[in-house]
């Protein structure tokens, strides 16, 4: 097991905002409730206990039982759904789009982070029960983001002309996708497992929400994972007072606009609209816009007066869909949730939202960066040792890594800093002479110093280039290895689909190893050798 400690802050793969959050910089503390430490969950539990209505628990459990009606679930999941009715039960939640066959590898990392944190909390607070929750983003409508996954450098793509909430999409056309994927899998027990999982999920369920629920349930049912679909009338009814406030007062716009100046030194993730709601019906999901005293449904001829839209909300709460600004509030209103686990991009927009939660008297959850990992084979690990590399080296940008290795491989130092310092001292004497003569001579000395320093820099670059040619074979091996572990010079988890790893090592080995290695509160990259 590698002993290298690669913190998220030092990895080079996270934004300044997330690095500063992890470092608990003072300027960001007003933007979150509590930092994720095991001790802070005690205070979070106490706060959520005080302001989460007991009546919501029964509605939540009943809605989940209906959503699971046609699915075979484990005793652990059934127990967790029932436990949500009890006042001593709380959730830890992550969310993800309905990516085809889970999409990038970090889908697994998110859910395992949630599962493991629930276990850690149970050890620390045995009088409470903690339920891992996966929130399916069924109401998203950006199909282009989810209609493919990568497998062996090939994009497996679902061709479909569809609009509206993706969870409602029928699964027509996925038989053809399965046929392509099945051929690429090849032979063997692991290939048959993946083939069977894809086929049952996508060709035996009528819509994408059910297909995704089946898939996530099959992977994590023994861990008691609870999968929730927010596109639900009874759950939307709980949220309808907040929708009414959004329609009448546009509170979220006002509150988030107050927060954005506090993030001026960072790239703001999302900007609020005056009304942060969509109207959904069948295959329609369009923004609600307020103009000239009427509520218009963008890109349609639909228009409502104030009384008409409030009547629509009362009769059909399921037709009102929160956007990225309001979806977190919806989640926290209907779940007895303590913590949201997400990627860097997700946490960035959550950090804009606390003021709106406070305005609505809803507890703001603890925000935790999900686990990240790099998976390597034993053969690759041996290659790392043979090349005298460590994992900190492999996290470097490729040009930096190559230059560092040339410095270590070269028989002499490819650093002309001593020569540059010596040159500067020589010119100091010339400056003393120049200052006693004509001012134009000072300029001539400065120009000559600049020219000679530039010449040394060019010689340094040429020497580095020459040494690279001499050590090209080893450099090529290093580059090839880094490209395997960081495809496209990006994180493996953002490029690979879980099927590629499972095909080689098997689902049991992959999941059990990740569960054993992930520590959600560590703030360190996990290096996994399979």
């Amino acid at each position: 097991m590698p002993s290298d400690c690669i913190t998220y802050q030092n990895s080079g793969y996270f934004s300044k905002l997330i690095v500063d959050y992890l470092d608990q910089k003072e300027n960001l503390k007003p933007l979150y409730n509590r930092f994720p430490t095991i001790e802070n969950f005690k205070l979070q539990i106490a706060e959520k206990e005080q302001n989460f209505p007991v009546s919501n628990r029964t509605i939540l459990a009943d809605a989940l039982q209906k959503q699971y009606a046609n699915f075979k679930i484990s005793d652990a999941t059934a127990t967790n759904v029932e436990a949500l009715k009890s006042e001593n039960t709380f959730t830890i939640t992550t969310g993800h789009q309905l990516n085809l066959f889970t999409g990038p590898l970090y889908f697994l990392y998110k859910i395992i982070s949630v599962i493991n944190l629930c276990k850690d909390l149970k050890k620390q607070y045995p009088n409470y029960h903690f339920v891992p929750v996966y929130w399916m983003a069924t109401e998203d409508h950006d199909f282009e983001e989810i209609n493919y996954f990568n497998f062996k450098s090939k994009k497996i793509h679902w061709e479909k002309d569809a609009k509206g909430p993706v969870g409602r999409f029928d699964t027509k056309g996925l038989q053809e996708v399965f046929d392509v994927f099945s051929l690429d899998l090849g032979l063997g027990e692991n290939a048959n497992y993946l083939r069977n999982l894809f086929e049952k999920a996508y060709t035996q369920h009528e819509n994408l929400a059910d297909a995704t629920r089946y898939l996530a349930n099959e992977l994590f049912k023994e861990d008691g994972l609870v999968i929730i679909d927010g596109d639900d009338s009874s759950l939307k009814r709980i949220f309808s007072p907040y929708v009414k406030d959004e329609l009448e007062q546009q509170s979220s716009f006002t509150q988030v606009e107050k927060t954005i100046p506090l993030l001026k030194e960072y790239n703001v993730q999302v900007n609020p609209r005056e009304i942060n709601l969509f109207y959904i019906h069948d295959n329609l999901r369009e923004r609600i816009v307020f103009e000239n005293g009427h509520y218009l449904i963008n890109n349609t001829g639909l228009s409502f007066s104030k009384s008409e839209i409030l009547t629509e909300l009362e009769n059909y709460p399921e037709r009102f869909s929160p956007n990225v600004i309001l979806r977190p509030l919806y989640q926290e209103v209907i779940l007895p949730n303590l913590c949201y686990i997400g990627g860097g991009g997700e946490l960035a927009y959550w950090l804009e939202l606390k003021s709106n939660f406070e305005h609505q008297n809803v507890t703001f959850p603890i925000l935790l960066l999900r686990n990240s990992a790099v998976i390597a084979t034993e053969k690759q690990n041996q290659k790392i040792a043979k090349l005298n590399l460590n994992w900190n080296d492999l996290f470097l940008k490729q040009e930096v890594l190559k230059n560092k290795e040339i410095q270590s491989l070269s028989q002499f130092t490819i650093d002309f800093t001593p020569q540059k310092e010596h040159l500067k001292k020589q010119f100091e004497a010339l400056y003393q002479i120049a200052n006693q003569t004509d001012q134009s001579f000072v300029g001539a000395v400065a120009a000559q110093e600049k020219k000679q320093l530039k010449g040394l820099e060019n010689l340094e670059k040429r020497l580095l280039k020459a040494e690279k040619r001499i050590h090209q074979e080893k450099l090529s091996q290093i580059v090839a290895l880094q490209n395997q572990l960081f495809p496209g010079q990006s994180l493996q988890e953002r490029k690979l689909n879980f099927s590629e790893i499972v095909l080689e090592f098997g689902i049991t080995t992959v999941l059990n190893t990740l569960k054993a290695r992930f520590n959600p509160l560590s703030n360190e990259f996990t290096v996994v050798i399979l």
Side-chain angles (χ1 to χ4, degrees):
M1 184 184 299
S3 59
D4 307 54
C5 173
I6 303 105
T7 65
Y8 295 141
Q9 295 96 311
N10 295 331
S11 69
Y13 282 97
F14 290 93
S15 69
K16 184 179 186 298
L17 175 59
I18 297 305
V19 168
D20 285 356
Y21 174 66
L22 296 175
D23 286 338
Q24 301 182 60
K25 291 291 181 69
E26 285 296 323
N27 63 310
L28 292 178
K29 288 184 177 179
L31 303 182
Y32 59 91
N33 196 7
R34 296 179 179 89
F35 193 75
T37 65
I38 198 74
E39 297 78 15
N40 277 344
F41 276 93
K42 183 177 182 180
L43 297 171
Q44 192 74 15
I45 289 168
E47 183 178 345
K48 194 69 178 183
E49 271 183 317
Q50 291 300 312
N51 68 7
F52 190 77
V54 177
S55 58
N56 286 11
R57 291 179 172 277
T58 302
I59 296 170
L60 172 64
D62 289 347
L64 285 167
Q65 285 168 350
K66 289 177 183 176
Q67 289 182 17
Y68 273 112
N70 297 318
F71 292 83
K72 183 179 180 181
I73 61 174
S74 66
D75 291 341
T77 296
T79 298
N80 279 344
V81 171
E82 185 64 26
L84 288 169
K85 296 177 181 178
S86 302
E87 293 180 57
N88 69 336
T89 298
F90 297 91
T91 62
I92 305 296
T93 302
T94 192
H96 197 66
Q97 295 171 298
L98 306 191
N99 294 75
L100 187 61
F101 213 44
T102 76
L105 187 58
Y106 65 76
F107 172 85
L108 269 63
Y109 297 174
K110 280 184 167 185
I111 294 176
I112 293 172
S113 298
V114 166
I115 290 166
N116 281 6
L117 182 57
C118 285
K119 292 177 181 177
D120 292 345
L121 290 172
K122 186 63 177 177
K123 291 176 184 175
Q124 185 74 14
Y125 305 105
N127 293 330
Y128 294 94
H129 191 64
F130 303 96
V131 175
V133 171
Y134 161 43
W135 181 290
M136 296 192 295
T138 54
E139 295 181 57
D140 282 4
H141 61 264
D142 197 340
F143 185 54
E144 297 301 315
E145 289 187 3
I146 67 167
N147 65 352
Y148 69 93
F149 66 97
N150 295 312
F151 182 73
K152 294 184 176 181
S153 301
K154 177 181 178 180
K155 183 178 282 190
I156 308 293
H157 197 266
W158 179 18
E159 297 286 353
K160 187 179 183 67
D161 183 17
K163 295 180 180 179
V166 295
R168 301 180 184 184
F169 287 1
D170 64 57
T171 52
K172 292 176 182 177
L174 281 168
Q175 179 65 49
E176 289 79 2
V177 178
F178 168 72
D179 293 339
V180 172
F181 181 46
S182 181
L183 287 173
D184 289 337
L185 280 170
L187 303 175
E189 183 179 345
N190 295 338
N192 288 336
Y193 167 81
L194 291 166
R195 193 176 281 113
N196 183 60
L197 183 64
F198 189 102
E199 184 176 29
K200 286 186 175 179
Y202 292 107
T203 68
Q204 297 180 19
H205 291 90
E206 293 184 358
N207 59 57
L208 192 55
D210 285 350
T212 305
R213 182 186 296 275
Y214 174 85
L215 180 57
N217 183 60
E218 283 299 303
L219 292 172
F220 297 108
K221 61 186 176 184
E222 298 307 323
D223 301 289
L225 181 69
V226 171
I227 303 159
I228 187 167
D229 182 354
D231 189 5
D232 183 289
S233 179
S234 60
L235 298 178
K236 288 282 184 73
R237 192 164 293 283
I238 297 176
F239 191 59
S240 60
Y242 303 89
V243 174
K244 184 172 186 279
D245 175 79
E246 182 70 8
L247 292 169
E248 293 184 320
Q249 306 298 329
Q250 290 90 57
S251 296
S252 64
F253 176 80
T254 304
Q255 296 302 321
V256 176
E257 281 287 297
K258 290 180 185 177
T259 300
I260 287 176
L262 301 177
L263 292 163
K264 60 185 177 182
E265 64 181 284
Y266 310 103
N267 292 322
V268 175
Q269 191 72 9
V270 294
N271 289 294
R273 298 185 182 277
E274 291 186 1
I275 295 179
N276 292 287
L277 292 167
F278 288 91
Y279 184 81
I280 59 177
H281 188 41
D282 296 332
N283 63 348
L284 171 74
R285 188 179 193 245
E286 289 286 352
R287 287 193 298 117
I288 300 174
V289 181
F290 187 68
E291 289 183 5
N292 301 319
H294 280 75
Y295 295 88
L296 310 179
I297 309 306
N298 203 39
N299 296 320
T300 75
L302 293 173
S303 174
F304 299 89
S305 66
K306 179 179 178 180
S307 61
E308 288 171 339
I309 203 162
L310 293 180
T311 299
E312 185 81 354
L313 174 62
E314 175 64 27
N315 294 333
Y316 307 105
E318 68 276 7
R319 294 182 181 177
F320 294 81
S321 175
N323 74 355
V324 66
I325 293 291
L326 278 184
R327 193 212 64 80
L329 183 69
Y330 176 36
Q331 172 189 298
E332 298 301 312
V333 164
I334 68 173
L335 292 177
N337 196 48
L338 302 175
C339 174
Y340 183 78
I341 297 180
E346 291 174 283
L347 266 55
Y349 72 72
W350 273 88
L351 288 169
E352 298 178 37
L353 306 178
K354 181 168 175 271
S355 61
N356 191 44
F357 274 73
E358 291 173 338
H359 177 77
Q360 300 291 359
N361 295 313
V362 176
T363 297
F364 195 68
I366 290 173
L367 302 178
L368 177 61
L369 189 65
R370 64 169 174 80
N371 281 109
S372 280
V374 179
I375 297 175
T377 64
E378 185 55 50
K379 184 177 179 181
Q380 288 170 327
N381 195 39
Q382 291 172 4
K383 188 75 174 288
I384 292 168
K386 185 178 179 181
L387 291 170
N388 294 316
L389 297 170
N390 59 48
W391 278 96
N392 281 291
D393 293 331
L394 290 164
F395 272 82
L396 295 171
K397 299 302 179 187
Q398 197 159 93
E399 280 306 308
V400 175
L401 173 59
K402 287 160 68 175
N403 291 343
K404 179 177 182 292
E405 287 306 303
I406 287 298
Q407 297 281 4
S408 66
L409 291 169
S410 180
Q411 295 180 358
F412 37 83
T413 303
I414 311 175
D415 182 0
F416 287 1
T417 299
Q419 289 85 350
K420 292 174 188 175
E421 292 302 318
H422 180 67
L423 184 65
K424 288 178 182 178
K425 287 179 181 177
Q426 289 181 319
F427 271 91
E428 285 175 7
L430 287 174
Y431 279 119
Q432 290 177 5
I433 297 171
N435 286 324
Q436 298 174 29
T437 59
D438 187 81
Q439 187 64 31
S440 63
F441 186 53
V442 175
V445 171
Q448 189 63 28
E449 180 187 27
K450 183 178 179 181
K451 180 179 179 181
Q452 292 196 33
L453 284 172
K454 185 68 174 176
L456 281 174
E457 288 174 1
N458 288 335
L459 285 173
E460 189 177 60
K461 289 177 182 177
R462 290 188 68 173
L463 180 59
L464 181 63
K465 192 174 181 180
E467 285 295 286
K468 283 182 178 179
R469 285 197 297 269
I470 293 170
H471 300 288
Q472 185 60 46
E473 183 179 351
K474 187 170 183 181
L475 277 183
S476 296
Q477 292 176 355
I478 290 170
V479 167
L481 179 62
Q482 191 187 46
N483 287 343
Q484 290 170 14
L485 297 168
F486 295 83
Q489 296 183 50
S490 180
L491 287 179
Q492 180 190 75
E493 63 195 41
R494 298 175 185 169
K495 299 289 186 180
L496 268 62
N497 178 263
F498 84 107
S499 58
E500 201 162 330
I501 309 295
V502 170
L503 185 63
E504 186 169 359
F505 299 103
I507 189 64
T508 302
T509 296
V510 172
L511 291 183
N512 287 349
T513 303
L514 292 174
K515 290 172 192 174
R517 293 297 315 282
F518 278 6
N519 177 359
L521 298 174
S522 69
N523 286 338
E524 292 177 5
F525 262 91
T526 306
V527 176
V528 178
I529 309 299
L530 290 175

